[in-house]
Amino acid sequence: MIIGVLKEQQPENRVALTPEGVKSLIALQCEVYIEKDAGNNAFFSDEQYLNAGAQAVSRVDVISKADIVLTINSLQEAELGSLKPGVLLIGCFNPFFNHNFVKSLQGSGYTSFSMELVPRTTRAQAMDILSSMATIAGYKAVLEAALALPKFFPMFMSAAGTIKPTKMLILGAGVAGLQAIATARKLGAMVEVFDVRSAVKEEVMSLGGKFIEVEGAKEDAAAGGYAVEQTEDYLRKQNELIHQHALKSDVVIATAQIPGKKAPVLLKKETVDAMAPGSVIIDLAASTGGNCEYTRNNETVVVHGVKIIGKSNYPSEMPADASRMYSNNLVNFLKLLICKEGQINLNFDDEIIRGTCLIHKGEIVNERIKHIMMK
Ligand code: NAD
């Protein structure tokens, strides 16, 4: 069986499989075709892939010959018609928002797994690409803020006087938020954190953050550890609290999200307008509308000296390790799909396989996506 890896299109620098990943797939009795130069921007050369046992081929060969195609987000709708019948496509296809892609797979006879759909369970942790990429985003967000801020992060007591440490507010303590706390604390910033899930309070405190909370948040055990939408009354109280704490902060890192939904607006224009000039807001939720009302996706907006940075692909700025993490997650997932003779064996009784499957033989399998597409 042939597993093919596509080169991503710029500005994406990552690659879906590393040379180490090739070795793991060859150990599973598979052949690996890698599109020429696929790893260049992530600092993995064709030579490294060849040494690991892959063949470097053209894009057309990957698309027309592979039984499983691995990608991050490079597959174009126009290329779908050239895939091998019955192919298995694995990537991050953004199915909550990219409905055209889902529609173009419907009725195609292909099977597709979208890695954003991996359930957030303990068993699936080693395949959780969203968590891997959010770890990178949380880390890079803090570094970006440190470079953009006209101040030090740590406290300094020097002959030139005492410099106060940076005050940071982090909105959302999921994977990105927790990584941001850890990185900011290492750089010496003082960190306050807000989340609607009280379950994260201890984790925040153990990383050295101060947890601020609003009483009365709606939580739902059935939401798989994710936040749920809140009542109007709660949102009003939350808005007041965030306003007060943002005004005391030099940096705000916003990471709040509810999967598959538009990001909640937590930083209103009037809050940003009242923040001190020179402050920095990093909005990691930019691609789903942003947590800040001023955010523009993949742009930096400056409002009376406050910088609002809305980059939405930090992992691509750290392509070597981002590719390593993505590749390891994919290989762990592929181990569930490939039997010891090196053939595809899809066991839909397995909750990870069922939960991650977007389309099987042209039919939508994932219940959440089915629901969205029926609307
Ligand atoms: P996550 O689901 O693990 O965490 C999100 C957190 O937000 C949760 O703890 C949730 O409880 C909290 N939250 C939800 N609604 C809230 C509200 N109203 N107020 C306060 N907290 C609220 O998500 P994650 O994996 O940490 O990702 C965080 C964000 O980073 C997402 O928007 C994701 O798309 C984004 N992301 C951005 C990049 C980038 O390069 N910019 C890369 C990866 C991920």
Side-chain angles (χ1 to χ4, degrees), residues 120 134 137 174-176 195 197 227 255-257 284 311-315:
R120 269 192 164 167
V175 182
D195 197 301
R197 291 183 302 125
T255 79
Q257 70 154 359
L284 289 183
K311 281 193 193 171
S312 57
N313 198 357
Y314 281 110

Side-chain angles (χ1 to χ4, degrees), residues 120 129-138 171-178 194-197 200 225-230 234-235 238 242 254-259 263-266 282-288 291 310-316:
R120 269 192 164 167
I129 279 171
L130 283 189
S131 287
S132 301
M133 298 305 119
T135 300
I136 294 170
L171 303 174
V175 182
L178 291 172
F194 172 71
D195 197 301
V196 285
R197 291 183 302 125
V200 291
Y226 283 114
V228 292
E229 282 176 297
Q230 301 295 324
Y234 180 89
L235 293 176
Q238 166 184 297
I242 291 174
T255 79
Q257 70 154 359
I258 299 170
V265 175
L266 302 177
I282 308 280
D283 194 340
L284 289 183
S287 71
T288 51
N291 290 147
K311 281 193 193 171
S312 57
N313 198 357
Y314 281 110
S316 175

Side-chain angles (χ1 to χ4, degrees), residues 6-296:
L6 290 173
K7 179 174 166 60
E8 301 298 314
Q9 310 298 304
Q10 281 293 303
E12 179 59 76
N13 292 316
R14 292 170 294 169
V15 60
L17 194 74
T18 61
E20 276 308 305
V22 169
K23 286 185 197 161
S24 307
L25 296 186
I26 286 177
L28 292 176
Q29 313 297 327
C30 300
E31 277 182 77
V32 181
Y33 281 12
I34 181 120
E35 183 180 343
K36 285 191 183 115
D37 297 335
N40 275 4
N41 294 330
F43 305 95
F44 301 108
S45 65
D46 282 354
E47 197 188 347
Q48 286 173 293
Y49 282 106
L50 296 178
N51 290 340
Q55 296 186 45
V57 300
S58 67
R59 186 172 184 88
V60 171
D61 276 349
V62 172
I63 290 179
S64 61
K65 296 190 179 153
D67 302 288
I68 299 181
V69 172
L70 305 182
T71 178
I72 298 175
N73 42 38
S74 89
L75 196 74
Q76 307 296 311
E77 279 177 47
E79 293 173 321
L80 291 176
S82 312
L83 290 161
K84 204 168 160 178
V87 74
L88 215 146
L89 289 177
I90 307 181
C92 285
F93 301 117
N94 192 16
F96 289 112
F97 299 99
N98 191 353
H99 299 165
N100 283 344
F101 189 78
V102 180
K103 278 187 197 147
S104 56
L105 284 178
Q106 276 180 291
S108 64
Y110 303 144
T111 295
S112 166
F113 289 89
S114 199
M115 298 303 289
E116 298 96 330
L117 302 174
V118 167
R120 269 192 164 167
T121 58
T122 309
R123 191 174 147 249
Q125 251 173 13
M127 306 158 211
D128 187 350
I129 279 171
L130 283 189
S131 287
S132 301
M133 298 305 119
T135 300
I136 294 170
Y139 170 79
K140 286 290 275 188
V142 172
L143 300 188
E144 176 107 48
L147 290 178
L149 191 73
K151 293 178 161 191
F152 279 115
F153 266 26
M155 182 172 91
F156 270 103
M157 301 225 294
S158 74
T162 301
I163 302 281
K164 289 187 187 153
T166 281
K167 288 187 178 156
M168 182 181 292
L169 174 64
I170 296 180
L171 303 174
V175 182
L178 291 172
Q179 184 56 48
I181 303 170
T183 309
R185 292 290 298 146
K186 280 182 210 151
L187 291 176
M190 287 170 58
V191 180
E192 290 188 323
V193 184
F194 172 71
D195 197 301
V196 285
R197 291 183 302 125
S198 54
V200 291
K201 182 175 179 177
E202 273 182 31
E203 264 179 289
V204 166
M205 286 173 17
S206 72
L207 288 169
K210 182 173 169 216
F211 193 67
I212 52 176
E213 57 192 321
V214 178
E215 300 284 305
K218 215 164 70 178
E219 301 197 32
D220 182 358
Y226 283 114
V228 292
E229 282 176 297
Q230 301 295 324
T231 62
E232 283 296 317
D233 181 49
Y234 180 89
L235 293 176
R236 191 184 38 76
K237 286 196 236 156
Q238 166 184 297
N239 189 17
E240 279 165 20
L241 186 88
I242 291 174
H243 180 83
Q244 287 163 19
H245 286 264
L247 298 202
K248 294 188 288 176
S249 305
D250 306 294
V251 174
V252 180
I253 301 214
T255 79
Q257 70 154 359
I258 299 170
K261 301 244 157 68
K262 198 176 165 300
V265 175
L266 302 177
L267 276 177
K268 301 270 189 191
K269 284 188 175 171
E270 51 267 32
T271 300
V272 180
D273 293 345
M275 286 173 72
S279 307
V280 175
I281 297 168
I282 308 280
D283 194 340
L284 289 183
S287 71
T288 51
N291 290 147
C292 171
E293 275 185 330
Y294 279 121
T295 298
R296 300 247 287 270

